């Protein structure tokens, strides 16, 4: 399995990014075309990397990816266009932290998605309902500090859902 897991300790040097940006660029450049199965970017305290996230995601989020974790230090507009048909059919786990996420019905089905974790994500109840109605394999749903959700509607078609947490 090809995995890129970038977790940064909270130090002064880490906040500036040090060589982290260069290391991530090099890793992704070396693995472009091969396809990562798992991408975990935990950049909660790293400020210098924010402008590069779009490029990193475009390189790494390709058909065949199974897990995407993106935790940031400031709001990031997650581009639904990353979830192409090939990505939608392979992604099994999606964790977004401090993102703006506006899925619509046009997004299409996420047939393999079994785990969805949203932490401090700007998403409305209607948008979440669209996403859930296209994620029929979902087993695990964790919503924390998604303040724009005022009414949570879980589609009855989610027969596999066995874990739900709202905080």
């Amino acid at each position: 399995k090809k995995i890129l897991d970038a977790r940064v300790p909270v130090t002064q040097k880490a906040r500036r990014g040090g060589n982290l940006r260069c290391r991530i660029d090099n890793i992704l450049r070396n693995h472009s075309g091969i396809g990562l199965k798992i991408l975990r970017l935990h950049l909660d305290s790293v400020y210098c990397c924010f402008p590069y996230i779009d490029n990193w995601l475009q390189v790494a989020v390709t058909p065949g990816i199974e897990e995407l974790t993106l935790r940031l230090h400031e709001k990031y507009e997650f581009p639904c266009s990353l979830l192409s048909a090939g990505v939608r059919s392979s992604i099994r786990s999606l964790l977004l932290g401090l993102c703006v996420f506006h899925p619509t019905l046009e997004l299409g089905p996420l047939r393999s998605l079994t785990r969805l974790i949203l932490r401090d994500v700007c998403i409305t109840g209607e948008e979440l309902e669209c996403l859930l109605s296209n994620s029929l394999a979902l087993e695990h749903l964790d919503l924390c500090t998604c303040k724009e959700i005022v009414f949570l509607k879980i589609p009855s078609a989610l027969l596999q859902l066995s874990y739900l947490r709202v905080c």
Side-chain angles (χ1 to χ4, degrees), residues 23-38:
R23 286 190 318 201
I24 293 173
D25 280 341
N26 287 334
I27 291 168
L28 289 177
R29 194 172 22 257
N30 289 337
H31 290 89
S32 75
I34 296 171
L36 290 171
K37 295 287 184 195
I38 298 173

Side-chain angles (χ1 to χ4, degrees), residues 51-112:
Y52 304 96
I53 293 170
D54 282 335
N55 291 336
W56 292 341
L57 290 176
Q58 286 180 356
V59 169
V61 180
T62 58
I65 192 159
E66 295 175 1
E67 179 184 325
L68 174 61
T69 298
L70 184 60
R71 295 181 58 181
L72 305 171
H73 72 281
E74 64 181 70
K75 292 280 186 211
Y76 169 73
E77 183 105 20
F78 183 83
C80 288
S81 60
L82 279 176
L83 301 174
S84 66
V87 171
R88 286 193 316 265
S89 66
S90 66
I91 194 155
R92 296 175 31 200
S93 177
L94 179 62
L95 186 154
L96 299 176
L98 263 172
C99 290
V100 176
F101 186 41
H102 297 298
T104 62
L105 282 174
E106 290 78 39
L107 178 62
L110 292 134
R111 290 184 178 93
S112 300

Side-chain angles (χ1 to χ4, degrees), residues 91-93 110 112-116 137-141:
I91 194 155
R92 296 175 31 200
S93 177
L110 292 134
S112 300
L113 189 68
T114 58
R115 187 169 177 253
L116 177 63
L138 197 66
E139 300 170 0
H140 181 110
L141 177 60

Side-chain angles (χ1 to χ4, degrees), residues 122-139:
C122 291
I123 185 171
T124 66
E126 294 82 18
E127 292 165 336
L128 181 62
E129 185 181 356
C130 281
L131 181 64
L132 295 177
S133 65
N134 279 315
S135 306
L136 300 181
L138 197 66
E139 300 170 0

